[in-house]
Structures are given as C-alpha cells and as structure tokens.
Amino acid sequence: MKTLLKVILILLAAGIVAGGFWLVVNNTSLATAGSGQGPGEGLGRPNFEGGAMPERFDGRTPPEGFEGQGSGAGKGQGPGGGEGHSASLWRGLTEVAGILVKLTIVIAVVLLIQKAVAWISAKRRPGRPSLA
Amino acid sequence: MSAKTNLALDLIIFAVFLVVASPSLTGNTIHEWLSVAFAAAIVTHLLFHWKWLVKVSALFFRKLFHQSRLNLVVDVLFFIAMTGSIFSGILISKDVLATFGIQLDGIGQGWKLIHSQTSDLSLILLGVHTALHWKWVVSMVKRYIMTPVRSLFRPASSRPLAAQTVRIESDK
C-alpha cells in the first residue's frame, strides 16, 4: 500500500511536469513551430519517409549512404531525435559510442570541477597552530 | 534493499538508457516500447531511493551538507528532463499510442523539438548525476564485479590455503 502511494506520488509529480511542458508548448510559438516543414527539416535532418527521394537530388542518383526508407541520419542527431528510424546495427553502435563519449566527457568535467573545488577549499583552510 | 541490488538495477537502467537513446540501433518500434519500460525502471529507481529523497527534500532549506543539496537539484532537473522526454515521446509516438487505438491530432513539430532537446539535456544530466555518485559507482563495481571476476582468474597456487591445525610433538 505504501509502495502504491509512493508510485502515485511519483506519477503525480511527473504529471505536473508534463502539464508544465504542455502549457509551455501550447502557449508559445513552439506549438506552430515548423508547421510548414517536414519532420526533422528544421533541425537540418533530411526526411526520407516513405521512400521519397528529396528534391535536391533532382532525379540524379543520390550519393551512397542515403537510404530511401526513413533513415533520418542528419547531422546533430540527438539521443531521441528523428522519426521513421529503421534499425541499423552499424549506425546504432556508432550512436551508442557517441553517447558514451559524451557521457565520459561530462563525467570527466564534473570530476575535475569537484577536484578543483576540493583543492581550493583545502588551500583556503588556514593551518591550525600547535599547542606548546 | 542491498547495495548489490541497487548496483544491478542502476547498471540495467544505464544499459537500457544507452539502447533507448540510440533509436538507430533498435528501430522506432522497439525504441518507443523500451522507453515505456525505461519509465517504469526510473520509477523503481526513485522508489529505491525514496527515503533519501524525502529526507533531503525536508532538510533542503535547513542546515544541510552542500553536496546533498547539489545532488537533489541535479536529480530534480534530471527528473524534469526525463519526464519531458518521455511525455513528448509518447505524444509523437506512432506505435505505442496506435496500440491503444489513440490517435492524437494537432501535435505540432514543437513536440519533436522538445523531445530532442530534453533527450540531449537528459544525457548531460545523466553524466552529472553519475559523476556526483562516482565514488559509490567505482567502489560497488570493484566490490561486486571486479573482485569476483579477478578471483576467477587467480592461479590456484596464489589462492590462500585453508587453515590447518598443526600438532607439534616435542621429543623428551
């Protein structure tokens, strides 16, 4: 029973946060952001949904690596971004490696900051005089 | 709840996060359903640390060690980012909502942007969260993973012998 109450509280907190996001999106320009654009185009990502070739290729054969079935492999692909993803082991593993690199950098930066703060605190503490 | 169980859950959550954050690895359908399972795992993680959450929240504005305050602030921001990512993901989902026969109209591209931005933010906050608990992570991994694995590869001669009683008889 206690666990159920805790779960309800957590979901309530999540609901409040979700409601906040809903209000923000619906009351700002985000609600109509990119309404004239295809998915991902506003973020510089090509849209290959439904196998349609982008017009920029003008009927020519696209270079290798461009797939017609929703690859969405544009630049700056975030962890959750893009739609119409088809599974690709190589691309997926590359994405995982990229995420691990980003995580490592963030962790290293935070640990360095912690060490720097600890070093500065140790320097600032005056040495206690010994009692003769 | 033992430290071993805590470590196991955290490692599973981390592995699932890596997979969920790489939709190219799994495809859209698995990405969406795994994210739903991931949300349940986050709730479980919060339940495991409920006492700490309540204690630090209650003492936040009183005399409290700064590290705990920083941890709570980072955790709250992480919760907000993850909730935003999961909520926006559900709104733009194709498979999860379709399974329940729900079709949302009028979901603008703004939600895709929110999903992308909150996912990126979650990644950064996960790094900060992990760094703030780095000592715990390292000590638990050493204790429960590296030491048992190392003991498997230790040669038999270097393993400690069982204690045996030795009887010494003096010649009189």
Side-chain angles (χ1 to χ4, degrees):
Chain A
M1 191 63 192
K2 269 186 185 177
T3 308
L4 188 62
L5 280 171
K6 290 173 191 173
V7 170
I8 290 170
L9 272 173
I10 292 168
L11 292 176
L12 199 64
I16 291 169
V17 171
F21 273 103
W22 181 270
L23 286 172
V24 165
V25 171
N26 285 347
N27 291 325
T28 63
S29 57
L30 281 171
T32 51
S35 56
Q37 299 172 341
E41 281 188 22
L43 300 167
R45 298 177 197 164
N47 171 28
F48 296 113
E49 262 202 348
M53 288 297 176
E55 288 176 5
R56 66 193 87 172
F57 290 115
D58 297 325
R60 286 173 292 169
T61 310
E64 277 184 25
F66 281 93
E67 298 163 36
Q69 197 64 36
S71 64
K75 63 176 181 181
Q77 180 121 4
E83 65 170 276
H85 283 281
S86 55
S88 163
L89 184 64
W90 177 244
R91 235 177 323 119
L93 289 175
T94 311
E95 217 171 2
V96 170
I99 288 166
L100 284 171
V101 165
K102 285 176 201 171
L103 274 175
T104 307
I105 291 169
V106 172
I107 291 170
V109 165
V110 173
L111 289 176
L112 278 171
I113 292 171
Q114 278 186 319
K115 284 222 184 271
V117 167
W119 183 76
I120 291 167
S121 303
K123 280 272 180 184
R124 274 186 187 173
R125 256 182 240 138
R128 288 185 181 181
S130 57
L131 295 172
Chain B
M1 187 224 20
S2 67
K4 203 175 177 181
T5 311
N6 204 1
L7 177 70
L9 179 70
D10 289 348
L11 288 175
I12 290 168
I13 287 176
F14 182 72
V16 170
F17 180 87
L18 285 181
V19 174
V20 161
S22 312
S24 303
L25 185 65
T26 55
N28 197 57
T29 305
I30 296 177
H31 168 76
E32 290 185 14
W33 283 110
L34 200 57
S35 303
V36 173
F38 181 63
I42 291 174
V43 172
T44 310
H45 182 73
L46 291 173
L47 287 174
F48 274 22
H49 299 281
W50 185 261
K51 279 184 186 166
W52 179 89
L53 273 171
V54 169
K55 188 177 171 188
V56 175
S57 301
L59 295 174
F60 187 78
F61 295 107
R62 297 184 202 174
K63 196 174 180 182
L64 188 66
F65 191 56
H66 61 276
Q67 179 80 5
S68 299
R69 275 205 192 99
L70 178 63
N71 271 332
L72 184 66
V73 168
V74 168
D75 291 350
V76 167
L77 290 172
F78 195 14
F79 179 77
I80 291 170
M82 285 300 324
T83 303
S85 182
I86 291 167
F87 180 62
S88 55
I90 289 171
L91 288 180
I92 63 174
S93 76
K94 290 176 177 174
D95 297 307
V96 169
L97 288 185
T99 304
F100 296 106
I102 300 170
Q103 195 175 356
L104 294 175
D105 298 319
I107 298 296
Q109 298 300 315
W111 285 107
K112 289 188 171 75
L113 182 64
I114 291 277
H115 186 65
S116 173
Q117 299 292 329
T118 49
S119 303
D120 290 339
L121 187 60
S122 299
L123 180 62
I124 294 169
L125 288 167
L126 173 64
V128 176
H129 182 67
T130 307
L132 291 176
H133 295 87
W134 190 246
K135 280 184 184 164
W136 181 88
V137 171
V138 168
S139 69
M140 290 296 117
V141 166
K142 269 185 191 166
R143 191 194 298 181
Y144 292 114
I145 297 174
M146 294 182 66
T147 306
V149 168
R150 261 190 223 143
S151 67
L152 289 173
F153 294 100
R154 213 181 287 170
S157 57
S158 65
R159 287 185 199 148
L161 297 170
Q164 292 179 357
T165 53
V166 176
R167 191 176 171 189
I168 300 170
E169 291 182 359
S170 58
D171 295 328
K172 286 191 177 175

